[in-house]
C-alpha cells in the first residue's frame, strides 16, 4: 500500500499507471453520467411543486459538492507539496484549481438558472450563494497567483501557501456568510432539505449523476495532470521516447 | 571579540522600532492611504445620493469597505523597499525566530497606517450622517478588525513582493479572505442600530484577530522565503 502510494509520487510512474487506468475510469464515468442524465431528465417524475424545473439538481448539486471537495483535495495536495516536496502533488493541485473553478462556475450558473423560475430572481445574496461566489474568487486567486510567477517552482510554492491559507479561511467565510444572511433576510427554503421525503425514482438518478460527476472530476484532473507531467518532464528520456513512439505510430 | 546577540524580546523591539522609523521618514506611505480613504468615501455621496437618510444607511459599510481597500493599498510599504534593498533577506537570515520579527513588523506597520485610519473614521462617518449610537461599535470594530486586515494583507503582500506589478493581484488574493472581518465589523454597526447587543461580534472579531496573530506570521514567513528565494 505504502509502496504503491510512494510510486504515485514519481511523475513517470503516475503517467504510466494512469495510462492503463484512465480508459476504465472514463468508461464508468460516461456510463454513470449518461444513465443518470437520461433517467433524471427524461423519466424521473416531475416534482409536485416545482414541476420539471427541479431536474437541474441532477447537475447543480453534484457540481456544487464537487466544487467544495475539489478545494479540499487541492489543499491536501498543496500540503503534501509543501511538506514532502512531492512534485506530482503540486501538478494535481494545479490541475484541480481550474477544474474546481469550472465546477464552481457551473454550480453558480445552474443555481441562477434554477433560481429564476423557483425564487423569481437569478441571484440573491443568500449565504450559500455568497459563500460559493467567494469560493470561486479564491479559486481565481490561486490560479492568478500561480500564473503570475515566471519560475515554475516559486509559482507552485506560492500557490500552495495561498491554498492552505484559503482552507483555514473558507470555513470562517462560510459561517460569516450564514450569520450575515440570517440578519438581513430569512434563508430561502430549498426543497432539497426534504431529500428524505423524495421518492427513490427522483434520487436514484441523482446518485448516478453524482458519482458520474465525481468520476468526471478525476478524469479531468488526471488528464490535465498527465499533460502537466509531459510538459514539465519534456526533457526527460522517457518522455522523448514516448513522443517518438507516438510519432512512429501515426 | 565578543559576539553580542539579541534576545527574542530585543529583536522584536528592534524590528518594531525600525518599522516605525522607516514609515516616519517616508510620510507619503502614511498619508497616501489616508487620503485614499477620505477621497474614496467622499465619492459615495457624489456618485450615489447626498440625502442623509440614504447615506446613514450605507455609512458603516462604506467606511468599512474603503478602510479595507486603504489597508490593502498601504501594504506595499510593508515589504517592497525591504525587498528591493536586501534587508528582507537579512531579516530571513537573522538567528531570532522569524515569527516574532514579522509580528513586530506588522504591528509597527499597523500602528503607523492602520491606527490613523481608525482615528479618521469617525470624521468620515459623520460626513456620511452615521447615527449617533453607531460610532462606538464602528470604532471598536475597526480597532479590532484592522490589525487582522493588516495581517491578511501581509500574507498577500509577502506572496507577491517578488513580482514586478503586484497591485491588482494583491487585491484578487486578499479581498476574498478579508470578507469575514468586513461582515462582522459592519454587523456590529447594524446590530447597534437595531438596538441589539454587539459584544458577541466584538468577541468574534477578537477571535479572528487571535487566529490571525497566531497563524498569519507563519504564512507570511513561508511566503517571504518563496519570494526572496
Amino acid at each position: 500500500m505504502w509502496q504503491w502510494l510512494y510510486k504515485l509520487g514519481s511523475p513517470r510512474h503516475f503517467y504510466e499507471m494512469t495510462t492503463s487506468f484512465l480508459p476504465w475510469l472514463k468508461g464508468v464515468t460516461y456510463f454513470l453520467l449518461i444513465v443518470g442524465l437520461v433517467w433524471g431528465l427524461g423519466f424521473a417524475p416531475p416534482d409536485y411543486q416545482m414541476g420539471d424545473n427541479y431536474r437541474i439538481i441532477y447537475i447543480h448539486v453534484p457540481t456544487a459538492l464537487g466544487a467544495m471537495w475539489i478545494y479540499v483535495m487541492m489543499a491536501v495536495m498543496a500540503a503534501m507539496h509543501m511538506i514532502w516536496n512531492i512534485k506530482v502533488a503540486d501538478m494535481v493541485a494545479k490541475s484541480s484549481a481550474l477544474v474546481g473553478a469550472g465546477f464552481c462556475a457551473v454550480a453558480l450558473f445552474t443555481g441562477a438558472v434554477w433560481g429564476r423560475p423557483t425564487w423569481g430572481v437569478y441571484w440573491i445574496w443568500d449565504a450559500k450563494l455568497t459563500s460559493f461566489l467567494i469560493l470561486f474568487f479564491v479559486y481565481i486567486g490561486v490560479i492568478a497567483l500561480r500564473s503570475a510567477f515566471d519560475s515554475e517552482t516559486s509559482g507552485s510554492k506560492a500557490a500552495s501557501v495561498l491554498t492552505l491559507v484559503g482552507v483555514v479561511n473558507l470555513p470562517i467565510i462560510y459561517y460569516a456568510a450564514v450569520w450575515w444572511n440570517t440578519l438581513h433576510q430569512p434563508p430561502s427554503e430549498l426543497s432539497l432539505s426534504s431529500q428524505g421525503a423524495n421518492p427513490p425514482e427522483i434520487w436514484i438518478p441523482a446518485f448516478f449523476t453524482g458519482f458520474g460527476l465525481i468520476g468526471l472530476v478525476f478524469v479531468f484532473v488526471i488528464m490535465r495532470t498527465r499533460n502537466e507531467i509531459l510538459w514539465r518532464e519534456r526533457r526527460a528520456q522517457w518522455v522523448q521516447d514516448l513522443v517518438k513512439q507516438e510519432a512512429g505510430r501515426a | 571579540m565578543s559576539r553580542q546577540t539579541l534576545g527574542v524580546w530585543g529583536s522584536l523591539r528592534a524590528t518594531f522600532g525600525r518599522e516605525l522609523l522607516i514609515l516616519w521618514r517616508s510620510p507619503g506611505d502614511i498619508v497616501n492611504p489616508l487620503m485614499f480613504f477620505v477621497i474614496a468615501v467622499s465619492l459615495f455621496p457624489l456618485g450615489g445620493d447626498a440625502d442623509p437618510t440614504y447615506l446613514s444607511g450605507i455609512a458603516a459599510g462604506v467606511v468599512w469597505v474603503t478602510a479595507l481597500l486603504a489597508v490593502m493599498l498601504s501594504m506595499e510599504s510593508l515589504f517592497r523597499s525591504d525587498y528591493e534593498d536586501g534587508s528582507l533577506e537579512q531579516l530571513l537570515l537573522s538567528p531570532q525566530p522569524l515569527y516574532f520579527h514579522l509580528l513586530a513588523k506588522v504591528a509597527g506597520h499597523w500602528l503607523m497606517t492602520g491606527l490613523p485610519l481608525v482615528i479618521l473614521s469617525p470624521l468620515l462617518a459623520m460626513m456620511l450622517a452615521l447615527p449617533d449610537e453607531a460610532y462606538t461599535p464602528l470604532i471598536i470594530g475597526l480597532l479590532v478588525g484592522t490589525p487582522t486586515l493588516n495581517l491578511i494583507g501581509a500574507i498577500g503582500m509577502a506572496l507577491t513582493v517578488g513580482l514586478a506589478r503586484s497591485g491588482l493581484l494583491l487585491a484578487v488574493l486578499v479581498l476574498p479572505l478579508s470578507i469575514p472581518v468586513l461582515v462582522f465589523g459592519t454587523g456590529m454597526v447594524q446590530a447597534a442600530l437595531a438596538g441589539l447587543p454587539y459584544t458577541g461580534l466584538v468577541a468574534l472579531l477578537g477571535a479572528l484577530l487571535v487566529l490571525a496573530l497566531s497563524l498569519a506570521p507563519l504564512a507570511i514567513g513561508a511566503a517571504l522565503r518563496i519570494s526572496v528565494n
Side-chain angles (χ1 to χ4, degrees):
Chain A
M1 170 74 185
W2 289 112
Q3 186 84 26
W4 183 79
L5 276 178
Y6 182 74
K7 274 187 173 171
L8 266 185
S10 139
R12 180 179 181 179
H13 196 84
F14 184 95
Y15 190 89
E16 281 164 0
M17 197 183 287
T18 49
T19 306
S20 55
F21 173 66
L22 196 57
W24 291 97
L25 184 64
K26 276 186 184 168
V28 172
T29 299
Y30 297 156
F31 171 76
L32 287 171
L33 276 180
I34 290 168
V35 171
L37 287 178
V38 170
W39 191 352
L41 299 184
F43 297 101
D47 183 81
Y48 81 99
Q49 214 173 11
M50 287 189 283
D52 284 333
N53 289 331
Y54 87 97
R55 291 182 197 280
I56 205 160
I57 58 165
Y58 294 119
I59 298 293
H60 178 70
V61 175
T63 46
L65 288 173
M68 286 193 289
W69 285 110
I70 293 168
Y71 197 92
V72 176
M73 175 167 83
M74 192 167 84
V76 171
M77 291 298 151
M80 281 170 69
H81 173 59
M82 288 300 283
I83 297 165
W84 294 298
N85 206 9
I86 302 174
K87 296 238 163 49
V88 172
D90 175 56
M91 297 186 213
V92 173
K94 181 180 180 181
S95 316
S96 318
L98 203 63
V99 178
F103 267 59
C104 221
V106 171
L108 285 168
F109 177 76
T110 52
V113 170
W114 192 14
R116 181 71 182 133
T118 38
W119 298 337
V121 283
Y122 285 110
W123 182 263
I124 53 167
W125 291 94
D126 166 82
K128 273 211 175 80
L129 280 73
T130 311
S131 49
F132 257 81
L133 188 65
I134 298 164
L135 178 65
F136 182 67
F137 293 158
V138 175
Y139 272 122
I140 297 298
V142 172
I143 296 168
L145 181 65
R146 185 189 287 272
S147 59
F149 280 84
D150 290 329
S151 138
E152 187 91 60
T153 42
S154 305
S156 53
K157 288 249 167 69
S160 301
V161 171
L162 185 66
T163 308
L164 293 177
V165 171
V167 88
V168 174
N169 217 313
L170 281 170
I172 302 174
I173 292 173
Y174 179 74
Y175 284 108
V178 167
W179 176 84
W180 164 77
N181 154 267
T182 49
L183 190 74
H184 281 265
Q185 56 185 39
S188 305
E189 204 49 60
L190 284 170
S191 75
L192 274 178
S193 54
S194 58
Q195 184 80 289
N198 287 334
E201 299 91 279
I202 284 182
W203 62 257
I204 289 177
F207 194 74
F208 274 91
T209 54
F211 278 96
L213 281 164
I214 292 172
L216 202 62
V217 170
F218 282 104
V219 169
F220 284 156
V221 169
I222 289 172
M223 283 171 72
R224 291 184 59 82
T225 307
R226 283 161 59 86
N227 281 347
E228 191 68 25
I229 287 173
L230 289 182
W231 177 248
R232 288 201 202 174
E233 302 268 302
R234 62 190 180 278
R235 292 196 182 81
Q237 190 60 46
W238 71 270
V239 175
Q240 304 208 338
D241 288 346
L242 197 74
V243 171
K244 272 189 205 127
Q245 202 185 321
E246 290 283 319
R249 201 182 294 165
Chain B
M1 188 179 106
S2 71
R3 275 179 63 212
Q4 267 200 323
T5 50
L6 263 120
V8 169
W9 181 240
S11 71
L12 203 148
R13 270 177 35 201
T15 315
F16 185 73
R18 179 174 173 276
E19 187 68 24
L20 295 188
L21 191 64
I22 286 177
L23 281 170
W24 186 248
R25 284 181 182 166
S26 53
D29 287 338
I30 301 176
V31 176
N32 288 346
L34 286 176
M35 284 299 108
F36 170 82
F37 188 42
V38 176
I39 293 167
V41 166
S42 64
L43 293 179
F44 283 86
L46 295 170
D49 191 346
D51 175 31
T53 49
Y54 166 76
L55 284 178
S56 64
I58 60 162
V62 167
V63 170
W64 259 100
V65 171
T66 36
L68 166 61
L69 295 173
V71 166
M72 201 195 61
L73 289 172
S74 76
M75 293 323 291
E76 191 85 354
S77 59
L78 180 62
F79 293 128
R80 178 65 68 201
S81 65
D82 282 359
Y83 175 77
E84 279 164 1
D85 67 15
S87 40
L88 201 57
E89 278 173 53
Q90 298 306 315
L91 194 77
L92 294 180
L93 290 172
S94 89
Q96 287 85 21
L98 185 60
Y99 184 93
F100 293 105
H101 276 304
L102 294 173
L103 214 52
K105 211 165 155 49
V106 177
H109 192 265
W110 176 78
L111 205 64
M112 298 299 267
T113 61
L115 192 60
L117 287 176
V118 180
I119 294 170
L120 201 60
S121 61
L123 180 69
L124 294 173
M126 189 202 71
M127 287 165 76
L128 293 178
L130 188 75
D132 288 343
E133 64 272 27
Y135 283 88
T136 323
L138 179 73
I139 295 162
I140 294 174
L142 283 168
L143 209 54
V144 185
T146 45
T148 316
L149 296 180
N150 264 52
L151 284 161
I152 297 173
I155 300 176
M157 194 60 223
L159 283 168
T160 55
V161 71
L163 305 168
R165 279 176 298 168
S166 56
L168 279 173
L169 185 60
L170 183 68
V172 173
L173 303 186
V174 168
L175 295 180
L177 300 177
S178 313
I179 288 168
V181 178
L182 182 70
V183 168
F184 294 136
T186 48
M188 277 174 65
V189 178
Q190 305 292 353
L193 288 177
L196 299 167
Y198 52 81
T199 41
L201 291 166
V202 182
L204 277 172
L205 272 181
L208 286 180
L209 176 58
V210 171
L211 188 72
L213 278 174
S214 45
L215 293 182
L218 299 175
I220 300 168
L224 283 179
R225 285 191 200 284
I226 295 161
S227 291
V228 168
N229 219 345

